[in-house]
Amino acid sequence: MELDINALLHFSPLIKTFTFNAWVVAGFTPITRGSKLDYYINRPQGMKGYIINLTLRGQARAKAGEGSLLFGENELLLFPPGVPHHYGRDEHSEHWDHLWIYFIPRPYWIDWLKWDHTTHSIGKTTVNDPSSSRRYAIFFMRLSITTTIPPRSPKRWR
């Protein structure tokens, strides 16, 4: 089986042009100051679905509305659909390693997505229990493995 590297790069959610035209996509993004991935995500129209981020290391900043939100290790952020946002590694942090999931929820999930603590419509919560934090990280990683495998192409990969 021969892989077409251009097809893989086109499918990669870490590429700025990725469209998120899917029900669920997940991944891990390791960001180090000055690296290729060290840029701010800018979504002035927000997204069609939700994005949830779990920070593993370092610190990031999300700018939304007139304010900003700082978040660090073991914190979850939930960006609802249509909420404009601009986020990336905080300038005072050397790293921002995070797991993320983009998803279009089933209708009966909506009540679970109404978080008590929000800033400019962005939900934020801290996972204080180390075992819960590990379980979240494992879930995110497993989902990223199953959702970022590119679809088979009969012409290229058989």
Side-chain angles (χ1 to χ4, degrees):
M1 177 167 88
E2 186 178 329
L3 294 178
D4 181 342
I5 196 66
N6 290 324
L8 289 172
L9 287 175
H10 177 70
F11 187 77
S12 175
L14 300 181
I15 302 302
K16 288 183 183 182
T17 57
F18 188 76
T19 62
F20 288 91
N21 190 17
W23 289 97
V24 64
V25 180
F28 167 64
T29 307
I31 298 173
T32 302
R33 182 186 305 275
S35 70
K36 202 174 204 177
L37 298 174
D38 189 20
Y39 58 86
Y40 265 69
I41 298 295
N42 186 27
R43 297 189 179 113
Q45 307 302 315
M47 302 282 290
K48 290 180 187 175
Y50 287 81
I51 295 180
I52 188 167
N53 285 331
L54 172 62
T55 298
L56 300 176
R57 179 174 73 148
Q59 191 167 284
R61 180 175 303 276
K63 299 173 186 172
E66 296 299 315
S68 68
L69 184 62
L70 200 60
F71 49 105
E73 294 177 25
N74 298 318
E75 290 187 316
L76 287 163
L77 244 56
L78 180 69
F79 296 88
V83 173
H85 54 272
H86 181 77
Y87 66 88
R89 181 191 54 79
D90 182 61
E91 63 187 22
H92 303 291
S93 181
E94 286 298 313
H95 305 278
W96 180 42
D97 296 350
H98 64 287
L99 294 160
W100 53 270
I101 303 169
Y102 167 84
F103 62 99
I104 306 284
R106 295 180 184 261
Y108 59 88
W109 296 0
I110 299 300
D111 286 341
W112 300 332
L113 299 170
K114 295 176 183 169
W115 289 17
D116 294 334
H117 303 288
T118 62
T119 300
H120 304 289
S121 300
I122 299 170
K124 179 181 177 183
T125 192
T126 302
V127 183
N128 293 313
D129 175 44
S131 66
S132 293
S133 185
R134 278 191 301 277
R135 283 195 303 270
Y136 277 117
I138 289 167
F139 171 75
F140 275 64
M141 286 187 270
R142 284 183 178 163
L143 191 58
S144 76
I145 290 167
T146 61
T147 64
T148 56
I149 297 171
R152 290 182 59 92
S153 171
K155 292 179 185 174
R156 289 185 272 189
W157 297 350
R158 282 198 180 163

